[in-house]
Amino acid sequence: MPKRVDHEERRRLIAEALWRIAAARGLEGASLRDVAAEAGISLGQLQHYFTSKDEMLSFALEHIGQLAGQRIRGRIEALPGEPTPRTVLRETLAEMLPLDENSRIGQRVQIAYFVRALYDERPRAHAREGNRALRAFFAGQVARGVERGEVAADLDPEREASLLMGLVEGVSGHTLMELHTPEEAMGLIELHLERLFSGSA
């Protein structure tokens, strides 16, 4: 009887191979053949799941996002009481920063995808969709803060969400370049949240 293949497990192994290559030497020069070799499968087997590098990067990013979401939920559920909007934002932003080796690898994959998206509409459309969803989530948390009297009522949640996204992306890039330590990076996030959640005007 032929061995049954767990397709989702195979896709996960391919994504993890991609991460290891990103950690070791970056992704720009990596080919599908390189990733197949790292995953211990043939190029033909890899192409059964991904026909292009963009498809593979998209899946890797989605997988990273799912794992990050699980970690964020775990952090929040471990806290006592009902999580405040500030707590939800803090834990989400912390997960987006390259504070350890796994998150640094994830950031490198995201940067590789971003570079490709600058020149190709297909990954760019995918990136825009993800960014819009994240901005809407941030805006919803800021709006909750306004309702609770924790954020000044004259602040626009959509604009504040865009500022949060710009902040975490900039701090992440500087941390990858070792211009900030992980502690300094998290301190900048804490400082901004302290100012944002300073109460009604």
Side-chain angles (χ1 to χ4, degrees):
M1 186 174 179
K3 183 179 179 180
R4 185 173 180 178
V5 176
D6 185 332
H7 294 290
E8 281 307 307
E9 175 68 9
R10 178 67 60 78
R11 288 165 69 90
R12 184 184 65 78
L13 289 174
I14 292 169
E16 290 176 354
L18 186 72
W19 299 344
R20 290 194 296 272
I21 291 174
R25 62 179 191 270
L27 288 172
E28 280 311 296
S31 66
L32 291 177
R33 188 178 301 278
D34 294 330
V35 177
E38 180 66 30
I41 61 176
S42 70
L43 178 60
Q45 286 174 312
L46 185 144
Q47 290 175 321
H48 176 74
Y49 298 96
F50 305 107
T51 59
S52 71
K53 191 171 177 178
D54 287 334
E55 282 185 18
M56 191 168 54
L57 281 170
S58 294
F59 174 78
L61 282 179
E62 288 173 7
H63 190 56
I64 289 169
Q66 289 170 359
L67 293 176
Q70 291 170 8
R71 287 192 295 268
I72 292 167
R73 285 190 293 274
R75 286 182 182 185
I76 292 172
E77 289 169 1
L79 296 172
E82 181 71 19
T84 65
R86 176 175 175 172
T87 298
V88 172
L89 284 173
R90 182 194 183 280
E91 298 304 325
T92 304
L93 292 165
E95 189 61 44
M96 294 173 69
L97 290 173
L99 302 180
D100 56 30
E101 186 56 29
N102 282 335
S103 56
R104 282 192 288 272
I105 294 171
Q107 285 285 329
R108 292 183 191 122
V109 174
Q110 290 179 337
I111 290 169
Y113 192 81
F114 176 78
V115 170
R116 296 179 76 83
L118 291 176
Y119 303 100
D120 190 326
E121 175 57 30
R122 289 171 298 176
R124 187 159 61 247
H126 184 270
R128 279 199 300 262
E129 181 181 340
N131 282 335
R132 285 170 183 151
L134 181 61
R135 185 167 60 238
F137 173 74
F138 282 172
Q141 295 303 314
V142 175
R144 280 186 62 215
V146 172
E147 292 169 3
R148 292 162 58 99
E150 298 165 355
V151 174
D154 60 344
L155 294 180
D156 178 7
E158 291 290 338
R159 291 179 66 185
E160 294 304 319
S162 293
L163 288 171
L164 282 169
M165 291 182 70
L167 172 65
V168 73
E169 288 171 8
V171 171
S172 292
H174 286 181
T175 306
L176 281 176
M177 295 293 292
E178 299 181 351
L179 297 173
H180 299 312
T181 65
E183 294 75 20
E184 289 169 342
M186 199 62 223
L188 290 170
I189 297 298
E190 295 277 18
L191 176 61
H192 183 77
L193 290 176
E194 182 179 347
R195 291 174 173 173
L196 178 59
F197 286 84
S198 59
S200 299

